[in-house]
Amino acid sequence: MLAKRIIPCLDVDKGRVVKGTNFVDIRDAGDAVELAKFYDAAGADELVFLDITASHEKRDIVLDMVRKTADQVFIPFTVGGGLSTVEDMHAMLQAGADKVSICSPAIKTPELITQGAKRFGNQCIVVAVDAKRIGPGRWEAYIHGGRTPSGLDVLEWVKRAESLGAGEILLTSMDADGTKEGYDLALTQAVSRAVKIPVIASGGVGTLEHLYDGLTKGEASAVLAASIFHYGEYSIREAKDYLKRKGVHVRP
Amino acid sequence: MLAIVDYDMGNVRSVAKSFERVGIESVLSDQREVILAADGVVLPGVGAFGDAMEILHKKDLVKTLLEVYQRQKPLLGICLGLQLLFDYSLEKGYTEGLGLFAGGVKPIETELKVPHMGWNELEIKRSHPILRDVKEGSFAYFVHSYHVVPDAEELILATTEYDGDKVAMVAKGSVVGIQFHPEKSSLVGLQILKNFGGMVDAR
């Protein structure tokens, strides 16, 4: 039976992890490659790197980080942030990323999804959606790191992204993000039911129960979390043991 | 020395690096001489079946791979590389494959999510050198929307449960096919790659 996935998300700036680098017992926890290796050994099922490097000129540093990670980490990982052309995607995938995640560029240029899927395979293309609640059962997709409303209804957008060739949806609730009060379960469930492709829930995790809720009530295939793992509140092992006790199928 | 067939279908670097991790040297190549000179050959790949066959034909690699098979050199197909070893695929119409394994590639038809993406357990059907020290129930990382359906069950080494048994590994003679990604399946995957190295050494 397919296991539900637990995915730590690492924010990186110029190849350095910028959040939560002070807990793990490794020599240089700001080193993205070292932290990725740590999470691989700890039992993470996949990793997501969110590249927040502002300057395009620093791209080589990011590519170098991706290359080194791919050389040493033998679980799948996704890189997102700042990829706006098929060439950008190609560079990341060639460097060793298994998937690329695109958010605003996918909305601005939806053909990018199709072009990427055609060239690299659907499974490589993760469409990230930043969703903000605008009414009961209604959410709007935001762009530019959540600063600008796109006018697109989230449920319509994810269905369109799927038909264009997306292989997976990385769904972040902007309302829940940072609250530590749990995923937006209504959103997660609505999106999971709207598409046939897997959905990764993101935004709002504060407890292990939230992970459980995202995977059960939210019907997500995977849960993404950052701070609860990075600040050592819970280990991947504790999360998996908890989920297993509650009857969720996870990889040991 | 292994040759990893590099034919523009996905990133092959991870495969090479995984072999390196278990102490096996490999070279990336699309050259007939290099591939035929290697002790074992790996055919990786992600993407569409039709595109892959087109490139293999264009690069004149179809004949080369058939020759690898005829010479009974160990040959390992991974993911799309496994699917290409079958007679045909129904992905986006009908495309003829390499025909080393009798059977076809068909869409995964299920109410569950497609692609079948993530870690799933292996049910081992018979013993084989590629499965040395791999335990029943080991998790491996899958990502595919199409699956292989062999004509004969005897081909099957391992299956995985996803709305019914799906083929995870097949083998016949010197050829092994793996639907999941051993290069992304952590320690279990590395063990399998090491075992392929063992098959090459034993030959």
Side-chain angles (χ1 to χ4, degrees):
Chain A
M1 200 168 108
L2 187 67
K4 297 284 190 180
R5 289 172 281 154
I6 311 284
I7 309 177
C9 177
L10 312 179
D11 286 3
V12 292
D13 185 11
K14 302 193 252 324
R16 303 278 303 168
V17 179
V18 290
K19 269 190 220 161
T21 55
N22 49 358
F23 83 100
V24 281
D25 187 21
I26 52 182
R27 205 160 8 107
D28 180 4
D31 183 328
V33 182
E34 288 299 315
L35 202 55
K37 279 163 71 179
F38 167 82
Y39 277 121
D40 178 2
D45 296 312
E46 281 187 43
L47 296 170
V48 168
F49 288 105
L50 182 61
D51 175 27
I52 58 168
T53 310
S55 140
H56 214 77
E57 293 84 69
K58 302 279 196 251
R59 258 299 133 84
D60 287 347
I61 302 175
V62 181
L63 286 171
D64 189 51
M65 175 205 87
V66 170
R67 220 170 277 126
K68 287 186 177 137
T69 304
D71 290 354
Q72 300 178 55
V73 173
F74 301 102
I75 57 172
F77 68 96
T78 303
V79 181
L83 306 172
S84 54
T85 65
V86 172
E87 286 66 41
D88 289 344
M89 295 181 187
H90 185 240
M92 280 301 164
L93 295 168
Q94 278 302 110
D98 298 284
K99 312 178 202 177
V100 286
S101 150
I102 46 173
C103 185
S104 309
I107 289 180
K108 280 184 259 176
T109 323
E111 310 84 75
L112 197 56
I113 302 173
T114 314
Q115 289 163 3
K118 179 142 182 25
R119 179 130 173 232
F120 314 117
N122 301 38
Q123 77 290 335
C124 288
I125 311 299
V126 181
V127 170
V129 179
D130 289 343
K132 192 170 174 61
R133 188 182 282 267
I134 50 169
R138 289 187 61 223
W139 298 268
E140 183 176 354
Y142 270 60
I143 54 175
H144 301 135
R147 289 191 301 277
T148 317
S150 71
L152 291 177
D153 175 81
V154 165
L155 298 181
E156 279 167 27
W157 169 234
V158 293
K159 281 189 243 182
R160 173 128 187 264
E162 174 180 40
S163 70
L164 290 170
E168 199 168 27
I169 300 290
L170 169 52
L171 177 67
T172 303
S173 160
M174 291 171 52
D175 306 291
D177 204 19
T179 63
K180 297 198 148 243
E181 286 174 1
Y183 298 111
D184 182 337
L185 296 175
L187 167 71
T188 308
Q189 188 197 58
V191 170
S192 296
R193 288 183 179 184
V195 292
K196 181 96 178 150
I197 54 178
V199 174
I200 306 169
S202 160
V205 178
T207 67
L208 297 182
E209 195 179 356
H210 293 153
L211 299 176
Y212 174 78
D213 289 342
L215 295 168
T216 54
K217 292 176 196 153
E219 301 177 21
S221 296
V223 280
L224 187 97
S227 58
I228 65 162
F229 295 134
H230 298 333
Y231 295 104
E233 291 163 40
Y234 300 100
S235 67
I236 303 280
R237 177 67 36 230
E238 285 169 323
K240 289 200 167 178
D241 286 347
Y242 173 85
L243 292 169
K244 196 175 168 197
R245 274 202 309 278
K246 300 264 278 181
V248 177
H249 193 56
V250 288
R251 180 176 73 115
Chain B
M1 173 74 82
L2 297 182
I4 300 173
V5 183
D6 187 3
Y7 62 117
D8 307 326
M9 290 302 285
N11 163 49
V12 292
R13 188 188 156 83
S14 310
V15 178
K17 285 291 168 184
S18 307
F19 275 114
E20 188 183 311
R21 170 55 63 99
V22 292
I24 298 169
E25 267 188 278
S26 64
V27 55
L28 301 175
S29 179
D30 62 356
Q31 297 300 307
R32 175 186 162 77
E33 309 77 61
V34 177
I35 292 168
L36 289 178
D39 303 312
V41 177
V42 182
L43 181 63
V46 295
F49 191 101
D51 296 346
M53 281 310 295
E54 199 183 316
I55 297 176
L56 289 179
H57 278 293
K58 212 180 283 172
K59 288 182 176 273
D60 206 23
L61 286 169
V62 172
K63 260 191 292 177
T64 306
L65 288 165
L66 293 178
E67 209 168 327
V68 167
Y69 173 69
Q70 279 150 12
R71 293 187 189 183
Q72 297 184 340
K73 261 183 216 285
L75 172 63
L76 174 67
I78 298 174
C79 197
L80 178 62
L82 148 74
Q83 300 188 349
L84 296 169
L85 301 177
F86 277 76
D87 287 331
Y88 66 92
S89 169
L90 300 180
E91 181 178 353
K92 295 170 190 157
Y94 178 97
T95 312
E96 205 166 293
L98 295 168
L100 304 187
F101 290 131
V105 182
K106 297 174 182 174
I108 297 178
E109 281 165 4
T110 174
E111 291 303 303
L112 302 175
K113 294 287 182 185
V114 176
H116 169 220
M117 186 188 282
W119 297 82
N120 208 336
E121 286 145 297
L122 300 179
E123 287 173 36
I124 296 172
K125 299 296 174 188
R126 61 183 167 98
S127 65
H128 190 280
I130 197 81
L131 285 167
R132 203 180 148 192
D133 294 331
V134 176
K135 287 198 196 82
E136 170 76 16
S138 292
F139 279 86
Y141 189 84
F142 289 82
V143 49
H144 59 129
S145 301
Y146 293 81
H147 68 122
V148 298
V149 182
D151 288 347
E153 276 199 21
E154 295 83 68
L155 279 183
I156 301 172
L157 281 186
T159 59
T160 195
E161 206 281 317
Y162 197 63
D163 196 4
D165 284 348
K166 299 290 176 285
V167 171
M169 299 174 83
V170 288
K172 185 178 80 175
S174 55
V175 189
V176 176
I178 304 181
Q179 179 61 67
F180 53 87
H181 286 275
E183 77 281 14
K184 292 290 160 185
S185 295
S186 205
L187 299 176
V188 171
L190 292 174
Q191 179 63 44
I192 289 171
L193 295 179
K194 191 174 160 196
N195 292 342
F196 183 68
M199 283 176 61
V200 172
D201 290 342
R203 186 176 167 265

